[in-house]
Amino acid sequence: SFLVPDHPFCHMEFQILMNRIQSMVGRTILLVILALAGTSCERNIDLNLPPPQPHLVVYGVVEPDSLIKVSISRNSAYFDPVDLNAVLNLLDYSATITVQSTDSLGHTELDTLKPQLFPALPILQYWTVFNYQGTKIRGRHNRTYRIHILHPDHEIVGETKVPVPSRIDSLWVRSRAFLQKQANPSSQPTARDSQLVQLFYRYRDPQAPGDHVRVFSRIQNEDQWSTAFNSVYDDQFFNGQSLDFVLPRGKEAYLFNDSTTFDEFGLFRAGDSIQIKWASIDRTNFLFWSGLAQATGGSGGPFGAQPVVTTNLRALRGRVLGLWAGYWSVHYTFK
């Protein structure tokens, strides 16, 4: 796995994944050598891994319900500390960021992003620390958004679009007690099983192929949107059909929450006011987050295939890791 599951901030997915992904090959080699060394007790082997090549780590978000936000940070070695202070220390304020929005008629709008400097805290959203924010542009579909990042050591460009929105047809819940009885009529659910519920949704996919979405959720009094381990979906296998899906409670919701247990993972509580953000995304966005889900699911071991990171960012100078993401978000509330 790329992330350290016991660390309280292991789910700052973007910074941690991208700050570490270029070191996976070195880590794999190290694990293989240690495994081989373990078969013999004749001598110790000391290895000094070279430092990673410097990259600028970029995650930018364009969506209709907020101003443009961008996270700019430096990468780090794989075995460096992973906590909030480490992430904050990696933030980089040396960049000048401009975004140009262009519609289908060629009309343009320009926005220069402002750094979110201390003592004011950077923006924490989607469990990512954003340290730059725009002042004018908000996402609209059928527009192209080009980003230009000028940094003393790097120059980076990228392009994204905000897709046409899609929508959920309906939402409902079933208690764990109901689902247990449905699977095994002779089962004896507890009172607790009646208090925990699974959220379902029905999606009617349009006839045109190529729809991709990323799904977020949160409950009342939560500021941060959370995602399941697999938060993105496409219509490759059900284009034009109507299907029912489970929408698990996001994994980040369990951080710093001592009242929840592993037994409740992915479930909501009866009576929760559940908010859903249904975000249409493009193919590059889908491939990036599905690659992250594959990596955090355990395929990044020493004998597994290394993940392929899809990006729409290009370094004209220096090196870059990251994603420039367009979302068209539709909000729902289930009570």
Side-chain angles (χ1 to χ4, degrees), residues 167-172 201-204 242-244 332:
R167 288 176 170 79
I168 295 174
D169 179 80
S170 54
L171 292 158
W172 69 96
Y201 67 92
R202 177 167 297 148
Y203 176 62
R204 300 183 188 275
S242 177
L243 295 175
D244 298 342
Y332 302 88

Side-chain angles (χ1 to χ4, degrees), residues 219-231:
I219 63 172
Q220 66 276 1
N221 303 322
E222 288 182 345
D223 295 324
Q224 296 296 315
W225 291 102
S226 299
T227 58
F229 281 107
N230 181 25
S231 65

